[in-house]
Short mmCIF file of all heavy atoms in Angstrom, two decimals:
data_model
loop_
_atom_site.label_atom_id
_atom_site.label_comp_id
_atom_site.label_asym_id
_atom_site.label_seq_id
_atom_site.Cartn_x
_atom_site.Cartn_y
_atom_site.Cartn_z
N PRO A 251 -167.60 -62.89 -8.16
CA PRO A 251 -166.26 -62.41 -8.49
C PRO A 251 -165.39 -62.29 -7.25
O PRO A 251 -165.86 -61.99 -6.16
CB PRO A 251 -166.50 -61.06 -9.14
CG PRO A 251 -167.94 -61.03 -9.55
CD PRO A 251 -168.65 -62.00 -8.65
N SER A 252 -164.11 -62.49 -7.42
CA SER A 252 -163.19 -62.46 -6.29
C SER A 252 -163.07 -61.08 -5.65
O SER A 252 -162.63 -60.96 -4.53
CB SER A 252 -161.82 -62.97 -6.70
OG SER A 252 -161.21 -62.11 -7.63
N GLU A 253 -163.49 -60.02 -6.35
CA GLU A 253 -163.40 -58.66 -5.79
C GLU A 253 -164.24 -58.51 -4.53
O GLU A 253 -163.96 -57.68 -3.68
CB GLU A 253 -163.85 -57.61 -6.80
CG GLU A 253 -163.06 -57.57 -8.07
CD GLU A 253 -163.52 -58.62 -9.08
OE1 GLU A 253 -164.74 -58.82 -9.24
OE2 GLU A 253 -162.65 -59.25 -9.69
N ARG A 254 -165.30 -59.32 -4.39
CA ARG A 254 -166.19 -59.21 -3.23
C ARG A 254 -165.71 -60.03 -2.04
O ARG A 254 -166.31 -59.97 -0.98
CB ARG A 254 -167.60 -59.65 -3.62
CG ARG A 254 -168.26 -58.65 -4.54
CD ARG A 254 -169.65 -59.04 -4.82
NE ARG A 254 -169.63 -59.94 -5.98
CZ ARG A 254 -170.62 -60.70 -6.36
NH1 ARG A 254 -171.73 -60.72 -5.67
NH2 ARG A 254 -170.53 -61.45 -7.41
N LEU A 255 -164.65 -60.77 -2.21
CA LEU A 255 -164.14 -61.61 -1.12
C LEU A 255 -163.18 -60.82 -0.24
O LEU A 255 -162.53 -59.87 -0.70
CB LEU A 255 -163.41 -62.83 -1.70
CG LEU A 255 -164.25 -63.77 -2.55
CD1 LEU A 255 -163.35 -64.79 -3.23
CD2 LEU A 255 -165.31 -64.45 -1.72
N ASN A 256 -163.05 -61.25 1.02
CA ASN A 256 -162.05 -60.62 1.89
C ASN A 256 -160.66 -61.03 1.39
O ASN A 256 -160.53 -61.98 0.62
CB ASN A 256 -162.31 -60.96 3.35
CG ASN A 256 -162.19 -62.44 3.63
OD1 ASN A 256 -161.35 -63.13 3.08
ND2 ASN A 256 -163.05 -62.95 4.49
N PRO A 257 -159.60 -60.32 1.81
CA PRO A 257 -158.27 -60.58 1.26
C PRO A 257 -157.79 -62.04 1.33
O PRO A 257 -157.30 -62.55 0.33
CB PRO A 257 -157.37 -59.63 2.05
CG PRO A 257 -158.27 -58.49 2.37
CD PRO A 257 -159.62 -59.13 2.65
N PRO A 258 -157.93 -62.75 2.47
CA PRO A 258 -157.46 -64.14 2.46
C PRO A 258 -158.21 -65.00 1.45
O PRO A 258 -157.62 -65.80 0.74
CB PRO A 258 -157.71 -64.62 3.89
CG PRO A 258 -157.79 -63.40 4.72
CD PRO A 258 -158.38 -62.35 3.81
N HIS A 259 -159.51 -64.81 1.36
CA HIS A 259 -160.30 -65.60 0.42
C HIS A 259 -160.04 -65.17 -1.02
O HIS A 259 -160.06 -66.00 -1.93
CB HIS A 259 -161.78 -65.49 0.74
CG HIS A 259 -162.16 -66.25 1.96
ND1 HIS A 259 -163.43 -66.21 2.48
CD2 HIS A 259 -161.47 -67.08 2.78
CE1 HIS A 259 -163.50 -66.96 3.56
NE2 HIS A 259 -162.31 -67.50 3.76
N ARG A 260 -159.78 -63.89 -1.23
CA ARG A 260 -159.49 -63.41 -2.58
C ARG A 260 -158.23 -64.08 -3.11
O ARG A 260 -158.18 -64.52 -4.25
CB ARG A 260 -159.31 -61.89 -2.58
CG ARG A 260 -159.17 -61.31 -3.98
CD ARG A 260 -159.12 -59.78 -4.00
NE ARG A 260 -160.18 -59.20 -3.21
CZ ARG A 260 -159.98 -58.42 -2.14
NH1 ARG A 260 -158.77 -58.13 -1.74
NH2 ARG A 260 -161.00 -57.92 -1.49
N ARG A 261 -157.21 -64.20 -2.26
CA ARG A 261 -155.95 -64.84 -2.69
C ARG A 261 -156.19 -66.29 -3.07
O ARG A 261 -155.66 -66.78 -4.06
CB ARG A 261 -154.91 -64.73 -1.58
CG ARG A 261 -153.57 -65.23 -2.01
CD ARG A 261 -152.47 -64.76 -1.07
NE ARG A 261 -151.23 -65.34 -1.51
CZ ARG A 261 -150.41 -66.00 -0.73
NH1 ARG A 261 -150.68 -66.14 0.55
NH2 ARG A 261 -149.30 -66.49 -1.20
N LEU A 262 -157.01 -66.99 -2.29
CA LEU A 262 -157.33 -68.39 -2.60
C LEU A 262 -158.08 -68.47 -3.94
O LEU A 262 -157.77 -69.29 -4.79
CB LEU A 262 -158.17 -69.01 -1.49
CG LEU A 262 -157.47 -69.22 -0.14
CD1 LEU A 262 -158.50 -69.59 0.92
CD2 LEU A 262 -156.38 -70.26 -0.23
N ALA A 263 -159.09 -67.60 -4.11
CA ALA A 263 -159.89 -67.62 -5.33
C ALA A 263 -159.05 -67.28 -6.55
O ALA A 263 -159.20 -67.89 -7.61
CB ALA A 263 -161.06 -66.65 -5.20
N GLN A 264 -158.14 -66.34 -6.42
CA GLN A 264 -157.29 -65.96 -7.54
C GLN A 264 -156.36 -67.11 -7.93
O GLN A 264 -155.93 -67.19 -9.07
CB GLN A 264 -156.50 -64.70 -7.21
CG GLN A 264 -157.37 -63.47 -7.19
CD GLN A 264 -156.68 -62.25 -6.61
OE1 GLN A 264 -155.69 -62.34 -5.90
NE2 GLN A 264 -157.21 -61.09 -6.93
N ALA A 265 -156.06 -67.99 -7.00
CA ALA A 265 -155.23 -69.16 -7.30
C ALA A 265 -156.08 -70.29 -7.86
O ALA A 265 -155.58 -71.37 -8.12
CB ALA A 265 -154.49 -69.61 -6.05
N GLY A 266 -157.38 -70.05 -8.03
CA GLY A 266 -158.26 -71.06 -8.60
C GLY A 266 -158.77 -72.06 -7.58
O GLY A 266 -159.20 -73.15 -7.93
N ILE A 267 -158.74 -71.69 -6.31
CA ILE A 267 -159.14 -72.59 -5.25
C ILE A 267 -160.58 -72.29 -4.85
O ILE A 267 -160.95 -71.14 -4.64
CB ILE A 267 -158.19 -72.44 -4.04
CG1 ILE A 267 -156.77 -72.81 -4.48
CG2 ILE A 267 -158.66 -73.30 -2.88
CD1 ILE A 267 -155.69 -72.51 -3.44
N ALA A 268 -161.39 -73.32 -4.75
CA ALA A 268 -162.81 -73.18 -4.41
C ALA A 268 -162.96 -72.80 -2.94
O ALA A 268 -162.85 -73.63 -2.06
CB ALA A 268 -163.55 -74.46 -4.71
N VAL A 269 -163.22 -71.54 -2.70
CA VAL A 269 -163.29 -71.01 -1.35
C VAL A 269 -164.40 -71.67 -0.53
O VAL A 269 -164.21 -72.01 0.63
CB VAL A 269 -163.46 -69.47 -1.38
CG1 VAL A 269 -163.71 -68.92 0.02
CG2 VAL A 269 -162.24 -68.82 -2.00
N ALA A 270 -165.56 -71.90 -1.12
CA ALA A 270 -166.68 -72.49 -0.37
C ALA A 270 -166.33 -73.88 0.15
O ALA A 270 -166.64 -74.22 1.30
CB ALA A 270 -167.92 -72.56 -1.25
N VAL A 271 -165.64 -74.66 -0.65
CA VAL A 271 -165.25 -76.00 -0.22
C VAL A 271 -164.25 -75.91 0.93
O VAL A 271 -164.36 -76.62 1.94
CB VAL A 271 -164.63 -76.78 -1.40
CG1 VAL A 271 -164.02 -78.09 -0.94
CG2 VAL A 271 -165.67 -77.00 -2.48
N LEU A 272 -163.30 -75.00 0.82
CA LEU A 272 -162.29 -74.86 1.87
C LEU A 272 -162.89 -74.34 3.16
O LEU A 272 -162.48 -74.73 4.24
CB LEU A 272 -161.17 -73.94 1.40
CG LEU A 272 -160.42 -74.44 0.17
CD1 LEU A 272 -159.35 -73.45 -0.23
CD2 LEU A 272 -159.83 -75.81 0.39
N GLU A 273 -163.88 -73.47 3.05
CA GLU A 273 -164.53 -72.95 4.25
C GLU A 273 -165.22 -74.07 5.01
O GLU A 273 -165.17 -74.12 6.23
CB GLU A 273 -165.55 -71.86 3.88
CG GLU A 273 -164.95 -70.49 3.87
CD GLU A 273 -164.37 -70.11 5.21
OE1 GLU A 273 -165.09 -70.01 6.21
OE2 GLU A 273 -163.14 -69.92 5.26
N ARG A 274 -165.87 -74.99 4.30
CA ARG A 274 -166.50 -76.13 4.99
C ARG A 274 -165.44 -76.95 5.71
O ARG A 274 -165.64 -77.38 6.84
CB ARG A 274 -167.29 -76.98 4.00
CG ARG A 274 -168.60 -76.34 3.57
CD ARG A 274 -169.50 -77.31 2.85
NE ARG A 274 -168.94 -77.83 1.62
CZ ARG A 274 -169.05 -77.26 0.42
NH1 ARG A 274 -169.70 -76.12 0.30
NH2 ARG A 274 -168.53 -77.83 -0.64
N GLY A 275 -164.31 -77.17 5.07
CA GLY A 275 -163.22 -77.92 5.70
C GLY A 275 -162.65 -77.19 6.90
O GLY A 275 -162.34 -77.80 7.92
N ARG A 276 -162.53 -75.87 6.78
CA ARG A 276 -161.98 -75.08 7.91
C ARG A 276 -162.92 -75.17 9.11
O ARG A 276 -162.48 -75.42 10.22
CB ARG A 276 -161.82 -73.62 7.50
CG ARG A 276 -161.28 -72.74 8.63
CD ARG A 276 -161.25 -71.28 8.22
NE ARG A 276 -162.56 -70.70 8.06
CZ ARG A 276 -163.31 -70.22 9.06
NH1 ARG A 276 -162.88 -70.27 10.30
NH2 ARG A 276 -164.50 -69.71 8.83
N ARG A 277 -164.21 -74.99 8.87
CA ARG A 277 -165.16 -75.04 9.98
C ARG A 277 -165.19 -76.42 10.63
O ARG A 277 -165.44 -76.53 11.82
CB ARG A 277 -166.55 -74.63 9.50
CG ARG A 277 -166.67 -73.14 9.26
CD ARG A 277 -168.11 -72.71 9.07
NE ARG A 277 -168.77 -73.37 7.95
CZ ARG A 277 -168.76 -72.94 6.69
NH1 ARG A 277 -168.12 -71.84 6.39
NH2 ARG A 277 -169.41 -73.59 5.75
N ALA A 278 -164.93 -77.44 9.87
CA ALA A 278 -164.93 -78.80 10.41
C ALA A 278 -163.60 -79.14 11.06
O ALA A 278 -163.46 -80.21 11.64
CB ALA A 278 -165.23 -79.80 9.29
N GLY A 279 -162.61 -78.24 10.98
CA GLY A 279 -161.31 -78.49 11.59
C GLY A 279 -160.44 -79.44 10.78
O GLY A 279 -159.56 -80.09 11.33
N ASN A 280 -160.67 -79.50 9.48
CA ASN A 280 -159.95 -80.44 8.63
C ASN A 280 -158.87 -79.81 7.77
O ASN A 280 -158.34 -80.47 6.87
CB ASN A 280 -160.94 -81.17 7.72
CG ASN A 280 -161.89 -82.03 8.50
OD1 ASN A 280 -161.54 -82.62 9.50
ND2 ASN A 280 -163.13 -82.11 8.03
N SER A 281 -158.50 -78.58 8.02
CA SER A 281 -157.56 -77.87 7.14
C SER A 281 -156.22 -78.59 7.04
O SER A 281 -155.66 -78.71 5.94
CB SER A 281 -157.34 -76.44 7.63
OG SER A 281 -158.55 -75.73 7.60
N ASP A 282 -155.69 -79.08 8.15
CA ASP A 282 -154.40 -79.76 8.11
C ASP A 282 -154.49 -81.07 7.33
O ASP A 282 -153.58 -81.41 6.56
CB ASP A 282 -153.88 -80.04 9.52
CG ASP A 282 -153.43 -78.76 10.22
OD1 ASP A 282 -152.91 -77.86 9.53
OD2 ASP A 282 -153.59 -78.67 11.45
N ALA A 283 -155.59 -81.79 7.50
CA ALA A 283 -155.78 -83.05 6.75
C ALA A 283 -155.92 -82.76 5.26
O ALA A 283 -155.36 -83.49 4.43
CB ALA A 283 -156.99 -83.80 7.28
N ILE A 284 -156.66 -81.70 4.93
CA ILE A 284 -156.80 -81.32 3.52
C ILE A 284 -155.44 -80.97 2.95
O ILE A 284 -155.09 -81.40 1.84
CB ILE A 284 -157.80 -80.16 3.37
CG1 ILE A 284 -159.21 -80.63 3.73
CG2 ILE A 284 -157.76 -79.58 1.95
CD1 ILE A 284 -160.23 -79.52 3.85
N LEU A 285 -154.65 -80.20 3.68
CA LEU A 285 -153.32 -79.82 3.21
C LEU A 285 -152.47 -81.06 2.95
O LEU A 285 -151.78 -81.15 1.92
CB LEU A 285 -152.63 -78.89 4.21
CG LEU A 285 -151.22 -78.44 3.85
CD1 LEU A 285 -151.20 -77.74 2.50
CD2 LEU A 285 -150.67 -77.54 4.94
N GLY A 286 -152.51 -82.02 3.84
CA GLY A 286 -151.74 -83.26 3.64
C GLY A 286 -152.15 -83.98 2.37
O GLY A 286 -151.31 -84.46 1.61
N ARG A 287 -153.45 -84.04 2.13
CA ARG A 287 -153.95 -84.72 0.93
C ARG A 287 -153.59 -83.93 -0.33
O ARG A 287 -153.28 -84.53 -1.36
CB ARG A 287 -155.46 -84.90 1.01
CG ARG A 287 -155.95 -85.69 2.20
CD ARG A 287 -156.31 -87.13 1.98
NE ARG A 287 -156.83 -87.53 0.70
CZ ARG A 287 -158.12 -87.74 0.43
NH1 ARG A 287 -159.05 -87.55 1.35
NH2 ARG A 287 -158.48 -88.15 -0.77
N LEU A 288 -153.61 -82.61 -0.25
CA LEU A 288 -153.20 -81.81 -1.41
C LEU A 288 -151.72 -82.02 -1.71
O LEU A 288 -151.33 -82.15 -2.87
CB LEU A 288 -153.46 -80.32 -1.15
CG LEU A 288 -154.92 -79.89 -1.09
CD1 LEU A 288 -155.02 -78.45 -0.61
CD2 LEU A 288 -155.60 -80.08 -2.43
N ARG A 289 -150.90 -82.06 -0.66
CA ARG A 289 -149.46 -82.27 -0.85
C ARG A 289 -149.15 -83.61 -1.48
O ARG A 289 -148.25 -83.71 -2.31
CB ARG A 289 -148.73 -82.17 0.49
CG ARG A 289 -148.57 -80.77 1.00
CD ARG A 289 -147.81 -80.81 2.30
NE ARG A 289 -147.64 -79.51 2.88
CZ ARG A 289 -147.58 -79.29 4.19
NH1 ARG A 289 -147.67 -80.29 5.05
NH2 ARG A 289 -147.42 -78.07 4.64
N ASP A 290 -149.86 -84.66 -1.05
CA ASP A 290 -149.54 -85.99 -1.60
C ASP A 290 -150.30 -86.31 -2.88
O ASP A 290 -150.14 -87.39 -3.46
CB ASP A 290 -149.70 -87.09 -0.55
CG ASP A 290 -151.13 -87.37 -0.12
OD1 ASP A 290 -152.07 -87.00 -0.85
OD2 ASP A 290 -151.28 -87.98 0.95
N GLY A 291 -151.12 -85.37 -3.36
CA GLY A 291 -151.79 -85.52 -4.64
C GLY A 291 -153.02 -86.40 -4.64
O GLY A 291 -153.56 -86.70 -5.70
N THR A 292 -153.51 -86.77 -3.46
CA THR A 292 -154.70 -87.62 -3.40
C THR A 292 -155.99 -86.81 -3.34
O THR A 292 -157.08 -87.38 -3.29
CB THR A 292 -154.66 -88.57 -2.19
OG1 THR A 292 -154.58 -87.82 -0.99
CG2 THR A 292 -153.46 -89.50 -2.29
N MET A 293 -155.87 -85.51 -3.34
CA MET A 293 -157.02 -84.62 -3.33
C MET A 293 -156.67 -83.42 -4.19
O MET A 293 -155.52 -82.97 -4.15
CB MET A 293 -157.32 -84.19 -1.90
CG MET A 293 -158.56 -83.39 -1.73
SD MET A 293 -158.80 -83.02 0.02
CE MET A 293 -160.15 -81.90 -0.12
N PRO A 294 -157.56 -82.91 -4.98
CA PRO A 294 -158.91 -83.37 -5.23
C PRO A 294 -158.91 -84.61 -6.11
O PRO A 294 -157.90 -84.96 -6.72
CB PRO A 294 -159.58 -82.18 -5.92
CG PRO A 294 -158.46 -81.43 -6.57
CD PRO A 294 -157.26 -81.66 -5.69
N CYS A 295 -160.06 -85.21 -6.21
CA CYS A 295 -160.17 -86.49 -6.93
C CYS A 295 -159.97 -86.34 -8.44
O CYS A 295 -159.67 -87.31 -9.11
CB CYS A 295 -161.49 -87.17 -6.62
SG CYS A 295 -162.93 -86.20 -7.11
N ASP A 296 -160.12 -85.14 -8.96
CA ASP A 296 -159.97 -84.96 -10.41
C ASP A 296 -158.55 -84.60 -10.82
O ASP A 296 -158.31 -84.24 -11.96
CB ASP A 296 -160.97 -83.93 -10.92
CG ASP A 296 -160.78 -82.55 -10.32
OD1 ASP A 296 -160.04 -82.42 -9.34
OD2 ASP A 296 -161.40 -81.60 -10.83
N GLY A 297 -157.60 -84.69 -9.91
CA GLY A 297 -156.20 -84.44 -10.25
C GLY A 297 -155.50 -83.56 -9.24
O GLY A 297 -156.12 -82.72 -8.60
N ALA A 298 -154.23 -83.77 -9.11
CA ALA A 298 -153.42 -83.02 -8.14
C ALA A 298 -153.34 -81.55 -8.53
O ALA A 298 -153.36 -81.20 -9.71
CB ALA A 298 -152.02 -83.61 -8.06
N TRP A 299 -153.26 -80.70 -7.51
CA TRP A 299 -153.08 -79.27 -7.74
C TRP A 299 -151.63 -78.98 -8.08
O TRP A 299 -150.72 -79.66 -7.59
CB TRP A 299 -153.40 -78.49 -6.47
CG TRP A 299 -154.85 -78.28 -6.19
CD1 TRP A 299 -155.91 -78.73 -6.90
CD2 TRP A 299 -155.37 -77.56 -5.09
NE1 TRP A 299 -157.08 -78.33 -6.30
CE2 TRP A 299 -156.77 -77.61 -5.19
CE3 TRP A 299 -154.79 -76.88 -4.02
CZ2 TRP A 299 -157.60 -76.99 -4.26
CZ3 TRP A 299 -155.61 -76.27 -3.10
CH2 TRP A 299 -157.01 -76.32 -3.22
N PRO A 300 -151.39 -77.91 -8.85
CA PRO A 300 -150.02 -77.45 -9.06
C PRO A 300 -149.42 -76.98 -7.73
O PRO A 300 -150.15 -76.56 -6.82
CB PRO A 300 -150.17 -76.28 -10.03
CG PRO A 300 -151.55 -76.35 -10.56
CD PRO A 300 -152.37 -77.11 -9.58
N ASP A 301 -148.12 -77.05 -7.63
CA ASP A 301 -147.43 -76.64 -6.40
C ASP A 301 -147.81 -75.23 -5.97
O ASP A 301 -147.91 -74.94 -4.78
CB ASP A 301 -145.92 -76.72 -6.57
CG ASP A 301 -145.43 -78.16 -6.69
OD1 ASP A 301 -146.15 -79.09 -6.26
OD2 ASP A 301 -144.31 -78.34 -7.22
N GLU A 302 -148.05 -74.33 -6.93
CA GLU A 302 -148.38 -72.94 -6.60
C GLU A 302 -149.71 -72.87 -5.83
O GLU A 302 -149.83 -72.10 -4.88
CB GLU A 302 -148.48 -72.09 -7.86
CG GLU A 302 -147.20 -71.98 -8.65
CD GLU A 302 -146.92 -73.21 -9.53
OE1 GLU A 302 -147.88 -73.94 -9.91
OE2 GLU A 302 -145.74 -73.44 -9.83
N GLN A 303 -150.69 -73.66 -6.23
CA GLN A 303 -151.98 -73.66 -5.53
C GLN A 303 -151.84 -74.27 -4.14
O GLN A 303 -152.43 -73.77 -3.19
CB GLN A 303 -153.04 -74.43 -6.32
CG GLN A 303 -153.59 -73.65 -7.49
CD GLN A 303 -154.67 -74.44 -8.19
OE1 GLN A 303 -154.48 -75.59 -8.55
NE2 GLN A 303 -155.81 -73.81 -8.37
N VAL A 304 -151.07 -75.33 -4.03
CA VAL A 304 -150.85 -75.94 -2.72
C VAL A 304 -150.17 -74.94 -1.80
O VAL A 304 -150.53 -74.82 -0.62
CB VAL A 304 -150.03 -77.25 -2.84
CG1 VAL A 304 -149.71 -77.81 -1.46
CG2 VAL A 304 -150.77 -78.28 -3.67
N ALA A 305 -149.22 -74.17 -2.33
CA ALA A 305 -148.51 -73.17 -1.51
C ALA A 305 -149.46 -72.09 -1.01
O ALA A 305 -149.34 -71.64 0.14
CB ALA A 305 -147.37 -72.55 -2.32
N VAL A 306 -150.40 -71.66 -1.85
CA VAL A 306 -151.37 -70.64 -1.42
C VAL A 306 -152.23 -71.22 -0.29
O VAL A 306 -152.47 -70.56 0.73
CB VAL A 306 -152.25 -70.17 -2.59
CG1 VAL A 306 -153.41 -69.32 -2.10
CG2 VAL A 306 -151.42 -69.40 -3.59
N PHE A 307 -152.71 -72.44 -0.46
CA PHE A 307 -153.53 -73.06 0.57
C PHE A 307 -152.72 -73.24 1.86
O PHE A 307 -153.21 -72.96 2.95
CB PHE A 307 -154.07 -74.42 0.09
CG PHE A 307 -154.98 -75.07 1.10
CD1 PHE A 307 -156.27 -74.61 1.27
CD2 PHE A 307 -154.54 -76.11 1.89
CE1 PHE A 307 -157.11 -75.19 2.21
CE2 PHE A 307 -155.37 -76.70 2.83
CZ PHE A 307 -156.66 -76.24 2.99
N GLN A 308 -151.47 -73.66 1.74
CA GLN A 308 -150.61 -73.84 2.91
C GLN A 308 -150.44 -72.52 3.65
O GLN A 308 -150.50 -72.48 4.89
CB GLN A 308 -149.25 -74.39 2.50
CG GLN A 308 -148.32 -74.59 3.68
CD GLN A 308 -147.02 -75.25 3.28
OE1 GLN A 308 -146.94 -75.91 2.26
NE2 GLN A 308 -146.00 -75.07 4.09
N SER A 309 -150.26 -71.43 2.93
CA SER A 309 -150.13 -70.11 3.56
C SER A 309 -151.38 -69.76 4.34
O SER A 309 -151.32 -69.20 5.44
CB SER A 309 -149.87 -69.03 2.51
OG SER A 309 -148.64 -69.24 1.89
N TRP A 310 -152.54 -70.08 3.77
CA TRP A 310 -153.82 -69.81 4.44
C TRP A 310 -153.94 -70.62 5.71
O TRP A 310 -154.31 -70.11 6.76
CB TRP A 310 -154.95 -70.12 3.47
CG TRP A 310 -156.33 -69.89 3.96
CD1 TRP A 310 -156.91 -68.68 4.24
CD2 TRP A 310 -157.33 -70.88 4.21
NE1 TRP A 310 -158.22 -68.87 4.64
CE2 TRP A 310 -158.49 -70.21 4.62
CE3 TRP A 310 -157.35 -72.26 4.10
CZ2 TRP A 310 -159.66 -70.89 4.95
CZ3 TRP A 310 -158.52 -72.93 4.41
CH2 TRP A 310 -159.65 -72.25 4.84
N VAL A 311 -153.56 -71.89 5.66
CA VAL A 311 -153.60 -72.75 6.85
C VAL A 311 -152.63 -72.22 7.91
O VAL A 311 -152.98 -72.11 9.09
CB VAL A 311 -153.29 -74.23 6.49
CG1 VAL A 311 -153.12 -75.07 7.74
CG2 VAL A 311 -154.39 -74.80 5.61
N GLU A 312 -151.41 -71.91 7.50
CA GLU A 312 -150.40 -71.40 8.44
C GLU A 312 -150.81 -70.07 9.06
O GLU A 312 -150.38 -69.75 10.17
CB GLU A 312 -149.05 -71.28 7.74
CG GLU A 312 -148.44 -72.64 7.43
CD GLU A 312 -147.19 -72.56 6.59
OE1 GLU A 312 -146.85 -71.46 6.07
OE2 GLU A 312 -146.54 -73.61 6.42
N ALA A 313 -151.63 -69.31 8.37
CA ALA A 313 -152.12 -68.02 8.91
C ALA A 313 -153.29 -68.21 9.85
O ALA A 313 -153.86 -67.26 10.35
CB ALA A 313 -152.50 -67.08 7.76
N GLY A 314 -153.67 -69.47 10.07
CA GLY A 314 -154.78 -69.74 10.99
C GLY A 314 -156.12 -69.82 10.30
O GLY A 314 -157.16 -69.65 10.93
N THR A 315 -156.12 -70.05 8.99
CA THR A 315 -157.33 -70.12 8.17
C THR A 315 -158.29 -68.96 8.42
O THR A 315 -159.43 -69.15 8.81
CB THR A 315 -158.07 -71.48 8.35
OG1 THR A 315 -158.50 -71.60 9.71
CG2 THR A 315 -157.22 -72.65 7.94
N PRO A 316 -157.79 -67.73 8.19
CA PRO A 316 -158.65 -66.56 8.44
C PRO A 316 -159.90 -66.60 7.58
O PRO A 316 -159.87 -66.98 6.43
CB PRO A 316 -157.76 -65.37 8.08
CG PRO A 316 -156.69 -65.92 7.21
CD PRO A 316 -156.52 -67.36 7.61
N ALA A 317 -161.00 -66.20 8.21
CA ALA A 317 -162.28 -66.20 7.49
C ALA A 317 -162.41 -64.97 6.62
O ALA A 317 -161.74 -64.02 6.75
CB ALA A 317 -163.42 -66.23 8.50
#
């Protein structure tokens, strides 16, 4: 449940974003590349995210991808 997550991760989870997947991308230093792919709709492979989800992810990236 999202209640057990820290605040930055809770916000991502509440927006329906898979925190575990994003954490792997953050640790690999790919957050900016992931954001670009989310913006242009080429990620995830099962369909583009709504603008609201992309905005939440962008806020997380702009905040320095807090753990």
Side-chain angles (χ1 to χ4, degrees):
S252 66
E253 300 82 41
R254 290 184 272 165
L255 299 171
N256 62 38
H259 287 175
R260 187 175 311 119
R261 185 164 177 231
L262 292 169
Q264 288 169 340
I267 299 171
V269 173
V271 171
L272 299 179
E273 270 301 297
R274 285 193 298 273
R276 179 185 68 83
R277 286 192 301 272
N280 295 325
S281 299
D282 289 326
I284 293 170
L285 179 57
R287 302 259 329 259
L288 291 171
R289 284 182 182 148
D290 69 19
T292 60
M293 186 178 172
C295 61
D296 61 348
W299 281 2
D301 291 339
E302 297 80 24
Q303 283 183 308
V304 175
V306 170
F307 183 76
Q308 180 175 338
S309 295
W310 181 68
V311 171
E312 289 173 350
T315 63

